[in-house]
Amino acid sequence: MRSSGKSRLLEHFKKNVGKDLCRKELSNVAGVHDWQRTIRSLRKDDGWDIETLKDGYRLNSLTQTATDTKREPINDKLRYAVLQRDLSTCQRCGRGIKDGVKLHIDHKTPVDMGGKSTLDNLWTLCEQCNLGKKNLFSDEDNEKMKVVLSQPSGYQKLKVYIELTPNKILEPEKLQIISNIRDWTRTLRDIRKKYSLNIKYIKPNEQYPSGAYYYDTEKE
C-alpha cells in the first residue's frame, strides 16, 4: 500500500535531519500539490521542528514537541452553510460546479496562523484558486501573520502587513486577501499618504503580470 505524502515527507526529513532540503526535492518526495501545507501541518499540528529557509526547509531535531493547534473539523452542517452563503461558487474566480470545477471549503485565515473553523472564517474556493492561495502564503512567517491578521480592520491589517514586510515584493492578490477590502488599492493609497510610507508601484511586466508593490524603507 502506497504511503501518504505526509509520511513520505516526514521519513525524508528524518533521514536528512539537520540538512537543508530544497523545495523541488521535497515536492518530488511528497508527490502531492499541497506539499507545503503538509509541511506546515508536520510543524504546527505534529510538533516537528521544521525551519523555513530561503530556498527550502530543514528538520532541526528528531524530538517532537507538544502542540495544541490541531485543525478543527468542518462538519457537514457547516460546509453546507458556507456553500449556501457563497451560492456554491468560488469567491475568487466566480466559477462553480456547473463550470466543471471542484469546490473546497477554505480557511480565510489559515489554521496555523490562528484561524478557526467558523462561518465567518470560511469561504468557498475552487481547487485551482485554493492551491494558488496556499502557494501564495507558503513562505510567510506564521508569527508575523498572526500579528497582521489579529488587527481589528482590513485597513489595519493592510498597514501592519506592509510595515512588517519592508523591501520585498508585495503581490496584489496577497494584499487583497489580507485586507479583504474590495477597493483595497484606494485604501493602500490612503495609507501611503497618511503615514508617509514610501510604497512604490511596479507596473505589470513579464515577471509581474498583475503588477506589484514595494515598501522601500532604504530611502526613508
Side-chain angles (χ1 to χ4, degrees), residues 7-189:
S7 62
R8 290 194 297 273
L9 278 172
L10 179 57
E11 186 62 26
H12 191 67
F13 272 121
K14 286 181 175 180
K15 288 180 179 178
N16 296 278
V17 62
K19 296 181 180 179
D20 296 359
L21 303 177
C22 71
R23 299 177 189 280
K24 183 176 180 181
E25 177 183 355
L26 294 170
S27 175
N28 290 335
V29 168
V32 293
H33 288 299
D34 58 349
W35 62 272
Q36 291 169 310
R37 180 179 181 180
T38 302
I39 288 177
R40 293 200 301 271
S41 176
L42 285 169
R43 178 170 52 206
K44 290 295 182 180
D45 295 341
D46 301 331
W48 292 104
D49 183 12
I50 300 174
E51 182 178 352
T52 301
L53 309 172
K54 181 179 180 181
D55 299 311
Y57 297 85
R58 178 177 62 235
L59 176 65
N60 293 317
S61 172
L62 290 174
T63 303
Q64 286 177 269
T65 57
T67 176
D68 58 358
T69 59
K70 284 290 185 181
R71 181 180 296 267
E72 300 172 61
I74 301 174
N75 58 41
D76 291 341
K77 182 179 180 180
L78 182 55
R79 175 182 171 80
Y80 179 80
V82 175
L83 288 170
Q84 185 179 47
R85 182 199 63 199
D86 295 342
L87 303 178
S88 295
T89 57
C90 176
Q91 298 303 289
R92 297 296 300 160
C93 70
R95 295 183 297 170
I97 297 176
K98 66 179 184 299
D99 301 301
V101 299
K102 183 177 181 180
L103 298 177
H104 293 251
I105 304 302
D106 174 67
H107 291 80
K108 294 179 182 179
T109 300
V111 173
D112 47 13
M113 294 178 185
K116 303 295 183 181
S117 295
T118 56
L119 185 60
D120 61 348
N121 190 48
L122 296 171
W123 61 346
T124 305
L125 292 181
C126 70
E127 191 168 45
Q128 184 178 1
C129 288
N130 192 26
L131 178 60
K133 175 175 176 280
K134 289 177 174 59
N135 290 337
L136 197 64
F137 285 89
S138 62
D139 292 330
E140 289 289 357
D141 177 76
N142 287 342
E143 295 307 312
K144 180 187 83 172
M145 292 306 297
K146 285 180 181 178
V147 173
V148 171
L149 298 171
S150 68
Q151 300 304 309
S153 68
Y155 186 102
Q156 286 299 318
K157 287 182 175 70
L158 193 58
K159 175 180 177 291
V160 171
Y161 177 73
I162 290 170
E163 290 177 326
L164 293 179
T165 317
N167 307 311
K168 292 183 179 180
I169 295 297
L170 306 173
E171 301 99 326
E173 185 178 7
K174 185 181 290 187
L175 296 176
Q176 183 180 21
I177 291 174
I178 288 172
S179 67
N180 198 27
I181 298 173
R182 185 180 297 275
D183 192 7
W184 65 271
T185 54
R186 182 177 180 178
T187 302
L188 184 61
R189 290 195 297 271

